[in-house]
Amino acid sequence: MIEFRNVTKFYGSFRALDDVTETIARGEVVVICGPSGSGKSTLIRTINRLEPIDSGQILLDGEDIHRPGLDVDRFRSGIGFVFQQFNLFPHLSVLENCTLAPMKVRGLSEAAARERALALLERVGLAGKAQSYPAQLSGGQQQRVAIARALAMEPPLMLFDEPTSALDPEMVSEVLLVIRDLAHKGQTLVIVTHEMGFAREVADRIFFMDEGRILERASPEDFFERPQHPRARQFLSDLRSPFARSV
Amino acid sequence: MIDLIRNYWLYFLVGQYPQGPLGGLALTLLLGVAALGLALPLGVVLGLARTSSHRVIRWPVTALVYVVRGTPLLMVIFWAYFFLPAITGQQTSQFNTMLAALVLFNGAYLAEIVRAGIQGIPRGQSECARALGLGYWQSMRAVILPQALRNMLPSLVAQFVTTLKETSLGYIIGLSEVSFIAGQINAQVLTKPVAVYTILALTYFVLCFGLSRIVRLLEKRTQRSSVVMP
């Protein structure tokens, strides 16, 4: 579904992505992990062109998505993106947040968009909050609304960029449960996260990144039990240190 | 003072109308409303251009904004007075001259308020709107501008009040707005300049204070959804 071909990206002289070549299949759940600054977020943001790339190609269903002249808006509407900071629209109600894009981009009628949004809010456990405004919700609730909003476009692909990193610890699991539900329903997911227990449970494959490269790609079991690359071993042992969250 | 008001109130309010052209307070209000009504859209357009990622759009507008902001309004009025007829080839009325000067001048100031308002909205908002598939204009209209305009409201009101007061500079090109009329009344009465100009001052105060209050009420009514995300 997604194919990276020798993708390289610089921020100034800093090499954020270094010759990344990889393929992600439809229906696959991929978790990307690695230390801060390793290029995880950059990689996921190149998939819907929030970040331009300097060389290489990214193909989505065979189409080069960084070629000039591509209808960016149409292409992006087929990819759900969930941000670390939720980015709900604060001047719109929860319901309006979820109906805005389906109406404006897909041309759905208000009634149809509303029906779809309410069904999705139900699915993320927030049907009762449809008329609330984002500021009235907890972080975990806001992130679940953000997921519902992305799903309202019925995207074949969903990207999560550290969806729980801005949350208080007690709200992490409510969001992870929603994402796990998506994984079990066969949705194609690419998730950047530091929640290793979650990664181990839902991922089909785990990519370990450092210095802009994917150093290791493995099943969760192989990755956690038999990491090959020295950097990956180091990363996992740091995670297991006394004050880190347990794996 | 009572005599003064009794004798000149109609002249003060509408000038020589209906025997002559409309003037006085009515003309001031008309000019103020027209200037605000045209300057705000111009300010939004210029402000958007100021934040554009295309240099061909951003640079000329930036230059225009700097030039206008670096010039006294009086200069812009003289400019309009002498240059508009030269450009269009026909006589421009004093009202239109003043209106053009006010719209250009305030458009430039409003552009900076709009630019600051847009840039004050977290980047994540437009990124997120675009990630949902909304186009540039759609995300501006539905996501960015509604939030930005609300944040800009206090600065906008301050600029509106300034505009209203600036209409008095029409005096200089002989536009018979309320300050000019007050001058005329003073010239006829001769003995009561303090009373005449006190009434004029109070008139401006009531207008400007009223405008601030109305907007404050609007602000309160929309507060419900103006709360910023944590």
Side-chain angles (χ1 to χ4, degrees):
Chain A
M1 182 174 207
I2 313 171
E3 190 180 349
F4 298 92
R5 286 185 187 162
N6 310 102
V7 174
T8 299
K9 173 175 178 64
F10 289 89
Y11 291 114
S13 62
F14 177 73
R15 197 185 287 261
L17 293 178
D18 186 4
D19 198 25
V20 172
T21 298
E22 185 53 63
T23 307
I24 296 171
R26 188 174 292 276
E28 202 174 16
V29 177
V30 170
V31 168
I32 308 176
C33 63
S36 295
S38 57
K40 319 180 288 289
S41 285
T42 305
L43 184 70
I44 201 170
R45 286 165 63 91
T46 59
I47 301 176
N48 76 342
R49 251 179 83 160
L50 281 177
E51 298 288 346
I53 58 176
D54 292 303
S55 64
Q57 274 186 322
I58 301 177
L59 306 181
L60 187 76
D61 293 329
E63 187 174 24
D64 179 355
I65 60 164
H66 282 267
R67 80 178 157 79
L70 176 86
D71 182 349
V72 186
D73 299 329
R74 193 188 60 76
F75 140 77
R76 277 186 180 140
S77 71
I79 301 178
F81 200 104
V82 176
F83 294 82
Q84 184 177 345
Q85 297 297 340
F86 334 134
N87 291 335
L88 293 185
F89 305 135
H91 62 302
L92 300 179
S93 70
V94 164
L95 185 66
E96 289 163 342
N97 262 278
C98 298
T99 56
L100 178 70
M103 284 165 65
K104 295 235 176 210
V105 180
R106 293 267 191 271
L108 253 63
S109 72
E110 189 173 350
R114 189 186 160 87
E115 190 182 337
R116 186 188 284 183
L118 287 173
L120 287 166
L121 287 172
E122 176 86 52
R123 186 163 157 197
V124 300
L126 289 171
K129 297 287 186 187
Q131 301 305 327
S132 302
Y133 280 84
Q136 299 166 317
L137 305 182
S138 72
Q141 290 172 330
Q142 290 194 39
Q143 192 62 298
R144 285 187 279 153
V145 172
I147 295 171
R149 174 175 66 177
L151 289 172
M153 299 297 283
E154 302 187 325
L157 169 65
M158 286 280 285
L159 309 174
F160 291 81
D161 188 6
E162 303 202 25
T164 59
S165 297
L167 295 176
D168 291 339
E170 75 269 24
M171 295 172 183
V172 168
S173 66
E174 62 187 77
V175 172
L176 294 183
L177 284 172
V178 169
I179 304 175
R180 186 179 68 182
D181 177 53
L182 292 177
H184 289 166
K185 291 208 164 82
Q187 171 88 44
T188 314
L189 302 176
V190 181
I191 308 164
V192 172
T193 185
H194 295 292
E195 298 292 333
M196 289 301 129
F198 171 74
R200 187 168 190 162
E201 190 194 326
V202 303
D204 296 316
R205 275 194 303 159
I206 291 186
F207 293 172
F208 173 77
M209 286 188 74
D210 196 21
E211 293 177 340
R213 280 179 306 232
I214 300 177
L215 295 181
E216 187 142 346
R217 18 172 96 66
S219 70
E221 198 183 316
D222 284 343
F223 179 72
F224 287 106
E225 302 303 330
R226 294 171 290 277
Q228 303 296 308
H229 198 281
R231 282 294 292 126
R233 273 184 225 139
Q234 177 68 41
F235 177 75
L236 287 170
S237 82
D238 287 347
L239 283 180
R240 290 182 180 113
S241 74
F243 291 106
R245 218 175 272 171
S246 61
V247 170
Chain B
M1 199 170 196
I2 303 291
D3 269 358
L4 194 64
I5 294 174
R6 190 177 299 147
N7 291 334
Y8 290 103
W9 66 274
L10 192 60
Y11 187 45
F12 187 79
L13 287 185
V14 295
Q16 291 170 327
Y17 193 78
Q19 280 77 39
L22 184 71
L25 188 58
L27 189 68
T28 293
L29 286 176
L30 193 62
L31 182 60
V33 168
L36 293 181
L38 293 173
L40 184 61
L42 178 69
V44 171
V45 169
L46 293 181
L48 284 172
R50 285 276 277 139
T51 62
S52 170
S53 54
H54 301 288
R55 265 178 282 180
V56 262
I57 298 173
R58 194 173 67 239
W59 283 1
V61 172
T62 304
L64 175 75
V65 167
Y66 277 129
V67 167
V68 172
R69 276 164 52 98
T71 319
L73 176 56
L74 200 55
M75 278 280 309
V76 178
I77 295 170
F78 282 143
W79 250 69
Y81 190 67
F82 293 115
F83 278 71
L84 275 182
I87 296 168
T88 59
Q90 24 179 303
Q91 181 122 34
T92 314
S93 73
Q94 289 146 331
F95 182 86
N96 286 340
T97 303
M98 193 59 200
L99 183 61
L102 283 176
V103 169
L104 177 66
F105 195 75
N106 285 289
Y109 277 86
L110 291 172
E112 287 301 86
I113 296 174
V114 171
R115 179 179 67 89
I118 290 172
Q119 290 175 344
I121 302 299
R123 204 183 142 75
Q125 290 285 310
S126 65
E127 266 187 358
C128 185
R130 301 306 300 276
L132 281 166
L134 295 173
Y136 172 82
W137 291 108
Q138 286 178 322
S139 71
M140 272 297 165
R141 229 184 62 72
V143 177
I144 306 300
L145 282 178
Q147 296 182 61
L149 283 170
R150 193 161 296 159
N151 293 346
M152 287 184 257
L153 212 51
S155 314
L156 287 179
V157 176
Q159 192 59 40
F160 286 175
V161 167
T162 306
T163 308
L164 208 52
K165 290 187 289 189
E166 283 168 351
T167 58
S168 63
L169 281 172
Y171 190 106
I172 216 76
I173 55 170
L175 180 68
S176 57
E177 44 69 56
V178 72
S179 301
F180 185 86
I181 294 292
Q184 297 285 315
I185 294 172
N186 185 44
Q188 287 176 31
V189 181
L190 277 178
T191 51
K192 290 183 175 151
V194 174
V196 169
Y197 285 109
T198 303
I199 291 171
L200 181 63
L202 280 174
T203 306
Y204 278 115
F205 177 78
V206 168
L207 282 183
C208 296
F209 186 71
L211 182 59
S212 306
R213 297 307 296 180
I214 290 169
V215 178
R216 175 67 62 81
L217 279 178
L218 276 177
E219 205 171 353
K220 281 221 175 97
R221 262 185 41 192
T222 55
Q223 215 155 40
R224 164 191 65 128
S225 45
S226 72
V227 259
V228 182
M229 268 207 313

